[in-house]
Amino acid sequence: MERLRKAGIRADSRMRVLLTAAEAYPALERAFLEASREIWASFRIFDLDTRLRSRAGRAIGDTWFDLVEHTLRRGVAVTLILSDFDPCARPDLHRGTWRSVRMLYAAAELAGPRAKLRVIPAMHPARTGLVPRLLVWPLIARRLLRNARWLNAMPAPERATTLREAPGLLRLMKLGLNGQCFPRLIGLPQLYPATHHQKLAVFDRKRLYIGGLDLNERRFDSPDHDRPGGETWQDVQLLLEGPVVAEAQTHLETFLDVVAGRAEPAPPRRFLRTLSRRRRFDLFRFGPEPVAAEIHDGHAMLARRSRKLIYLETQYFRDRGLARTLARAARENPGLGMILILPAAPDEVAFDGATGLDARFGEFLQARALRILRDGFGARLFIGATAQPRRPDPGEAPNGRAALRGAPLVYIHTKVSIFDDRAAIVSSANLNGRSLHWDTEAGVFLNRHEDIEALRERVMRHWLPPAAGDEFLSLDHAVQAWRALALANAKYPPDQRHGFILPYDLRAAEAFGTPAPLIPDEMV
């Protein structure tokens, strides 16, 4: 991180803040349409059935399949690295990756013989060691049985399609004479604990699109968040020009070699990463060997340098080490305050009713991390969550943790951190151990004053009522202003509230969470 501190930021960067997919998807479409030579990209999810939103995009077709075909037909070379997933733990995502691969090559075939497409479905090379796999074998067997039941519940033609689109899952199953699936319970399947979680694209080596947003219909939302709670999705992307683009291009060309152990990462300047690789001796290890933790180190460094206000907006805050670093910074600087904005519950808990050990362990870690922050900051900390300022529609009736104080949630997937008015990090990384130490993540470090002000204005004011005064963005008074607004909103019925902000319900997370002593924090 010393090199990052010395390098800083160049003065010729240009930045656009894209709030939610309603702004980001059209910008991404236009970037594809304006590319003249090449596009390099890496996404966790890239669904070609996603509808086009821009006027220019809709002029050439209805979905991203049409846009990719059009781009290839124009002669633009496209390299797309798609995350692949553990077929035992995440068969749905594994299938989605290979379905996208098939559709991308179909688009290339329609584009003609001159189409220049390279698609790389990339599984992170890290493996869980034999001893941990033996320890969690009952959980593995339960997953395999559940996957077999899921497949066998499908009509035979759909099951055959699913297995064709999920080659890793097929290898975990035996097929009966009638096409029924039976899990291979003899022998321990490999487990893949890490994944490539980044979301970025570089266009003609001139523009960079980066942040927390993948491409599919589930992630589409607008800044109004006027949809059913289970369809909301707050996210932030940046569109950047300047020297950081070359760093991102180098990363896209080299990160697969780095995680495979064939190369070392380039020195960081404005482009920050989490990178890990497979351990040479992983017999007793759950996860990979960290290689670069620049996003974590950047947060730690900037927290120590902050003097008045840290603003964090993240899907998860589960890293207890980072919590201790922030709490220590608060104790050393009595003038430092913090605003932390989280979803009221993880999406799989709120909307899918997940109650498994992984979901409960994640909530346990987050509750512990938030207690550490409270001990360090005291009254200088505000932890907020977001809900729509309306009553549920007839038939919507969110219950349990899909609602917050009687209102449908606004689900937060953002990964934005702002330190005073001097620096910020926007990335694909959540503030949990997985994103900060294991998974492949990518982000940018900003410290131009005008960039920070633009980011603060868009990201923070978005949650506030239209009449919110300057005190809500003030480095000296924002914590008190946000807390007062949240407490006032909590006293009123949903349709009488102002803005989206409410107090985060820490007790709900603590009641749901449970420890998992043998599992490393980085697993969730």
Side-chain angles (χ1 to χ4, degrees):
M1 219 55 212
E2 184 67 23
R3 288 173 294 189
L4 173 64
R5 182 162 44 243
K6 290 179 179 178
I9 185 173
R10 304 279 183 88
D12 56 348
S13 295
R14 292 186 294 275
M15 181 187 83
R16 274 186 65 198
V17 180
L18 305 168
L19 204 66
T20 74
E23 296 179 5
Y25 284 4
L28 183 60
E29 293 166 22
R30 287 190 291 270
F32 264 76
L33 289 168
E34 293 168 5
S36 60
R37 298 190 310 277
E38 63 175 335
I39 299 169
W40 282 70
S42 178
F43 285 88
R44 183 173 182 265
I45 296 172
F46 198 87
D47 184 355
L48 272 69
D49 283 330
T50 308
R51 288 180 289 135
L52 298 173
R53 261 71 186 198
S54 66
R55 181 177 299 178
R58 291 196 301 271
I60 59 99
D62 297 323
T63 68
W64 268 85
F65 182 94
D66 303 312
L67 179 55
V68 169
E69 179 194 343
H70 176 80
T71 302
L72 294 169
R73 194 183 297 275
R74 291 193 298 113
V76 178
V78 177
T79 299
L80 182 54
I81 304 166
L82 291 178
S83 304
D84 197 4
F85 301 88
D86 187 321
C88 177
R90 298 306 303 265
D92 52 337
L93 292 174
H94 172 68
R95 179 192 181 188
T97 295
W98 287 93
R99 185 173 186 273
S100 292
V101 170
R102 289 161 57 89
M103 293 183 71
L104 284 160
Y105 280 118
E109 185 174 351
L110 289 174
R114 298 180 61 188
K116 292 175 282 188
L117 172 69
R118 184 163 64 125
V119 183
I120 304 172
M123 186 87 76
H124 194 289
R127 305 287 189 272
T128 297
L130 177 61
V131 173
R133 280 187 287 147
L134 286 169
L135 290 173
V136 299
W137 167 240
L139 296 177
I140 298 172
R142 193 179 307 163
R143 289 266 190 181
L144 290 170
L145 289 166
R146 187 169 66 189
N147 292 342
R149 288 195 298 269
W150 171 61
L151 290 165
N152 291 332
M154 299 175 182
E158 181 183 350
R159 187 187 315 126
T161 299
T162 299
L163 291 171
R164 186 169 62 249
E165 293 178 342
L169 183 60
L170 177 60
R171 289 192 291 270
L172 297 175
M173 297 290 158
K174 295 182 293 184
L175 299 183
L177 294 177
N178 58 355
Q180 292 283 296
C181 295
F182 301 92
R184 297 181 183 273
L185 296 177
I186 298 176
L188 282 172
Q190 292 286 354
L191 297 182
Y192 304 87
T195 187
H196 304 303
H197 190 253
Q198 60 194 355
K199 308 97 170 35
L200 73 157
V202 173
F203 302 91
D204 291 334
R205 301 177 184 254
K206 293 179 180 178
R207 284 195 289 174
L208 168 64
Y209 172 89
I210 191 167
L213 188 62
D214 281 302
L215 182 71
N216 70 358
E217 285 295 329
R218 167 65 184 96
R219 285 155 174 77
F220 187 84
D221 194 11
S222 74
D224 294 330
H225 304 300
D226 53 357
R227 304 156 67 88
E231 298 177 14
T232 58
W233 194 277
Q234 168 67 6
D235 229 321
V236 171
Q237 290 286 118
L238 300 181
L239 199 58
L240 294 154
E241 298 180 7
V244 71
V245 180
E247 290 186 70
Q249 181 69 38
T250 298
H251 168 74
L252 286 169
E253 293 176 4
T254 61
F255 83 89
L256 290 177
D257 286 332
V258 173
V259 299
R262 296 188 294 266
E264 294 298 320
R269 291 178 64 83
R270 288 193 56 223
F271 190 83
L272 305 181
R273 302 152 296 184
T274 302
L275 293 167
S276 65
R277 61 190 171 205
R278 183 176 183 178
R279 297 179 185 272
R280 290 186 178 181
F281 305 102
D282 57 8
L283 182 64
F284 297 98
R285 299 285 190 168
F286 268 95
E289 174 190 356
V291 174
E294 296 156 5
I295 297 173
H296 170 275
D297 295 347
H299 278 81
M301 180 192 74
L302 294 171
R304 289 191 294 266
R305 292 171 55 184
S306 297
R307 292 295 172 261
K308 292 190 174 183
L309 179 66
I310 298 173
Y311 178 89
L312 305 179
E313 190 172 314
T314 181
Q315 182 184 17
Y316 306 126
F317 190 95
R318 297 174 176 176
D319 190 287
R320 291 184 280 185
L322 180 60
R324 294 186 188 98
T325 298
L326 290 163
R328 190 178 308 116
R331 293 188 186 99
E332 293 172 355
N333 180 4
L336 182 62
M338 189 167 87
I339 296 172
L340 171 59
I341 305 300
L342 296 162
D347 59 339
E348 66 273 13
V349 174
F351 308 125
D352 300 332
T355 59
L357 180 61
D358 51 351
R360 291 183 177 275
F361 184 41
E363 287 290 81
F364 169 82
L365 292 176
Q366 182 154 296
R368 286 295 181 91
L370 298 185
R371 288 292 182 190
I372 293 170
L373 292 179
R374 284 191 170 182
D375 289 344
F377 282 88
R380 292 173 287 143
L381 173 69
F382 169 67
I383 306 174
T386 54
Q388 300 174 58
R390 66 174 179 88
R391 298 178 186 271
D393 293 330
E396 184 179 10
N399 51 53
R401 299 189 68 192
L404 182 61
R405 295 184 182 266
L409 300 189
V410 175
Y411 190 68
I412 294 173
H413 191 259
T414 322
K415 298 94 167 59
V416 171
S417 305
I418 306 173
F419 302 87
D420 289 335
D421 57 357
R422 298 185 299 175
I425 294 173
V426 178
S427 74
S428 59
N430 297 304
L431 300 183
N432 60 346
R434 168 173 286 281
S435 282
L436 297 177
H437 300 287
W438 279 12
D439 285 351
T440 303
E441 307 281 5
V444 291
F445 166 65
L446 309 169
N447 72 353
R448 282 206 324 168
H449 181 74
E450 53 266 45
D451 291 342
I452 309 307
E453 287 300 299
L455 186 66
R456 282 166 51 83
E457 180 73 22
R458 290 301 319 277
V459 172
M460 295 177 69
R461 196 170 288 282
H462 156 259
W463 297 120
L464 303 172
D470 292 340
E471 68 273 15
F472 285 90
L473 271 66
S474 164
L475 299 181
D476 296 304
H477 305 295
V479 173
Q480 295 83 356
W482 283 60
R483 179 185 293 114
L485 174 63
L487 293 174
N489 278 339
K491 295 177 181 178
Y492 290 102
D495 51 1
Q496 296 180 28
R497 295 171 184 163
H498 302 284
F500 297 96
I501 294 297
L502 288 164
Y504 177 81
D505 190 349
L506 178 55
R507 291 184 178 179
E510 288 179 323
F512 183 80
T514 189
L518 297 177
I519 306 299
D521 291 4
E522 290 83 359
M523 286 292 290
V524 296

